[in-house]
């Protein structure tokens, strides 16, 4: 390879035709556009779709990914653009690495985020390893996030379009994975641009709706999935106040989340009550006033750090954090307890912080993601 070879659009010093790219294709418009775009640029594109759960049951489900109709759509895109496409059966891996933990987390009173675990344990682990086995120079996905080169190497940055940003779901991407991954859509200003590109390439998925809900949870009814996986998970129990007084009964702890107000069935009280804690062992839902939801200190573990200096090299890091995907980042102080655990102090208390959710770290200025971890202990 010539030392003066210019970098291609993927940041590699090779001609596109000599650069093999595995594109993770879910069957949706985003990953399809990535594959088509790179194929048109002359890259040696290989499309790979993971079958993650029973595609027979998912065929009729709208808004799913990685099963049934979506596998068919990904294959049609590959045929349209003229590159090879493979389907890999990852059902067992997905069930063990994602679905089982999802069910167990709810049984333990937590509120899991399975999309993060799927990226971490399946797409950016097993699929990435497969890409390397195929002698690919890199792996590209349709995620809305940006990879930028900094002084110390590849950095993870928020998408240019805040409405599409997926940084919360990708905080656990490791530096080693980031070296190999590419996100060609992260710089786009809107989803409309993506759909315009799909139309330009004549893709059969140009008008396909975005995926909704958790891919393996039909119609958002996660409780039904958990009951099927863990019989008895929806056993009824008591709703009690913070002093232990019984206020009513519930239809299973798995139906409730921290901060929930509606659907408690305990009307006629002087002030509205919210779910402030779940006790799955005693099958109790504990409720209290809104003030009881306020949280300032959050224990976090399984930290993935993407900063330039080692995580535990400082007594504290002043960052912004996001404790739910739908909330904006807010100022906080992260105090490392080890290389993988920390205590996070929110400068402004937040309501409804729940075990099982992610706590994602952002640079106080700019768009860089500094990593994050998992909230591991409820109130």
């Amino acid at each position: 390879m010539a030392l003066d070879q210019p970098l291609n659009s993927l940041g590699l010093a090779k001609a596109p035709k000599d650069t093999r790219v595995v594109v993770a294709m879910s069957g949706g418009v985003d990953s399809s556009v990535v594959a088509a775009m790179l194929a048109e640029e002359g890259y040696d594109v290989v499309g790979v779709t993971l079958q993650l759960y029973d595609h027979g049951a998912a065929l009729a489900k709208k808004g799913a990914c990685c099963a049934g109709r979506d596998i068919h759509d990904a294959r049609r895109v590959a045929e349209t653009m003229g590159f090879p496409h493979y389907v890999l059966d990852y059902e067992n891996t997905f069930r063990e690495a994602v679905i089982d933990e999802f069910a167990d987390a709810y049984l333990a009173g937590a509120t899991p985020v399975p999309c993060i675990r799927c990226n971490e344990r399946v797409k950016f682990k097993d699929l990435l390893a497969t890409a390397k086995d195929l002698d690919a120079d890199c792996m590209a996905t349709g995620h809305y996030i940006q990879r930028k080169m900094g002084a110390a190497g590849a950095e993870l940055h928020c998408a240019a379009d805040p409405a599409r940003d997926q940084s919360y779901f990708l905080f656990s991407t490791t530096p080693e994975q980031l070296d190999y991954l590419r996100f060609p859509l992260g710089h786009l200003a809107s989803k409309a641009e993506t759909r315009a590109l799909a139309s330009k390439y004549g893709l059969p998925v140009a008008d396909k709706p975005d995926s909704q809900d958790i891919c393996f949870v039909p119609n958002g009814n996660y409780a039904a999935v958990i009951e099927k996986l863990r019989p008895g998970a929806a056993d009824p129990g008591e709703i009690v106040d913070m002093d232990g007084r019984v206020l009513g009964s519930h239809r299973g702890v798995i139906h409730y989340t921290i901060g929930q107000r509606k659907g408690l069935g305990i009307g006629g009280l002087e002030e509205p009550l919210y779910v402030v804690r779940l006790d799955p062992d005693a099958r109790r839902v504990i409720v209290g006033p809104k003030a009881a939801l306020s949280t300032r200190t959050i224990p976090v573990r399984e930290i993935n750090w993407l900063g330039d200096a080692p995580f535990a090299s400082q007594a504290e890091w002043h960052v912004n954090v996001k404790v739910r995907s739908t909330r904006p980042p807010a100022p906080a102080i992260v105090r490392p307890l080890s290389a993988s655990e920390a205590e996070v102090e929110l400068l402004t208390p937040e309501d409804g912080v729940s075990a099982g959710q992610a706590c994602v770290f952002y640079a106080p200025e700019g768009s860089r993601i500094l990593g994050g971890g998992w909230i591991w202990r409820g109130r």
Side-chain angles (χ1 to χ4, degrees):
M1 183 190 303
L3 293 177
D4 59 350
Q5 171 73 45
L7 299 182
N8 59 32
S9 64
L10 295 176
L12 298 165
K14 303 173 89 172
K17 66 181 178 61
D18 298 322
T19 306
R20 175 168 290 177
V21 186
V22 163
V23 179
M25 299 183 69
S26 67
V29 65
D30 298 326
S31 57
S32 296
V33 165
V34 167
M37 179 191 306
L38 296 176
E40 188 187 63
E41 289 181 32
Y43 287 95
D44 177 10
V45 172
V46 178
V48 176
T49 300
L50 302 183
Q51 180 182 313
L52 299 182
Y53 51 95
D54 178 51
H55 62 282
L59 269 171
K61 183 195 166 189
K62 294 181 179 179
C65 74
C66 306
R69 170 57 57 184
D70 295 294
I71 291 174
H72 175 67
D73 288 342
R75 185 177 292 119
R76 288 171 64 209
V77 168
E79 290 173 352
T80 299
M81 297 303 298
F83 59 81
H85 173 258
Y86 303 97
V87 179
L88 305 181
D89 184 353
Y90 274 47
E91 282 192 39
N92 289 339
T93 299
F94 186 68
R95 183 176 63 251
E96 294 168 4
V98 179
I99 297 179
D100 284 346
E101 183 186 85
F102 172 82
D104 292 338
Y106 266 109
L107 291 184
T111 307
V113 191
C115 296
I116 298 176
R117 290 302 196 192
C118 181
N119 289 326
E120 172 188 315
R121 297 176 173 177
V122 182
K123 293 176 182 175
F124 290 177
K125 182 183 177 185
D126 294 335
L127 178 54
L128 192 146
T130 297
K132 291 183 176 180
D133 288 342
L134 291 170
D135 292 326
D137 295 284
C138 62
M139 185 174 93
T141 80
H143 289 106
Y144 286 89
I145 197 163
Q146 298 187 82
R147 174 189 183 274
K148 298 182 179 182
M149 292 306 296
E155 300 175 353
L156 202 60
H157 286 255
C158 295
D161 178 9
R164 307 297 304 180
D165 177 60
Q166 292 177 289
S167 59
Y168 184 84
F169 301 99
L170 296 169
F171 82 86
S172 61
T173 306
T174 66
E176 294 75 22
Q177 292 167 344
L178 194 54
D179 282 340
Y180 193 69
L181 290 164
R182 300 294 187 272
F183 309 105
L185 301 184
H187 69 286
L188 298 183
S190 70
K191 182 61 176 273
E193 287 190 44
T194 306
R195 293 198 180 278
L197 286 169
S199 296
K200 169 190 169 184
Y201 299 131
L203 301 185
V205 296
D207 297 320
K208 187 173 182 177
D210 290 343
S211 58
Q212 302 292 330
D213 301 320
I214 298 168
C215 67
F216 59 88
V217 180
N219 305 316
N221 188 0
Y222 62 85
V225 172
I226 297 168
E227 287 184 71
K228 183 177 180 180
L229 293 168
R230 304 289 187 269
D235 288 346
E238 298 173 332
I239 297 177
V240 302
D241 65 16
M242 297 177 70
D243 295 321
R245 290 189 294 261
V246 177
L247 302 179
S249 59
H250 65 74
R251 54 196 179 95
V253 171
I254 61 171
H255 290 280
Y256 301 85
T257 58
I258 304 298
Q260 181 177 334
R261 176 185 173 186
K262 296 181 179 179
L264 299 181
I266 49 173
L269 302 172
E270 293 183 2
E271 63 175 334
L273 295 178
Y274 300 77
V275 176
V276 298
R277 190 161 58 85
L278 298 171
D279 185 346
D281 293 333
R283 297 207 304 273
R284 280 188 157 189
V285 173
I286 298 91
V287 297
K290 186 174 178 62
L293 284 172
S294 184
T295 300
R296 181 181 288 275
T297 303
I298 306 172
V300 178
R301 64 182 178 184
E302 290 184 63
I303 287 172
N304 178 58
W305 179 245
L306 295 172
D308 295 338
F311 180 61
S313 65
Q314 293 187 193
E316 57 185 41
W317 297 91
H318 290 252
V319 300
N320 290 337
V321 304
K322 185 184 284 194
V323 294
R324 281 188 185 272
S325 63
T326 54
R327 295 185 182 177
I333 300 172
V334 178
R335 298 186 175 91
L337 301 176
S338 70
S340 60
E341 293 194 20
E343 181 180 87
V344 176
E345 179 188 348
L346 303 175
L347 299 193
T348 301
E350 293 216 29
D351 295 342
V353 176
S354 175
Q357 294 283 297
C359 180
V360 181
F361 311 151
Y362 297 82
E365 298 178 355
S367 60
R368 188 176 179 185
I369 298 111
L370 296 175
W374 294 92
I375 301 168
W376 65 276
R377 188 169 59 231
R379 296 181 51 79

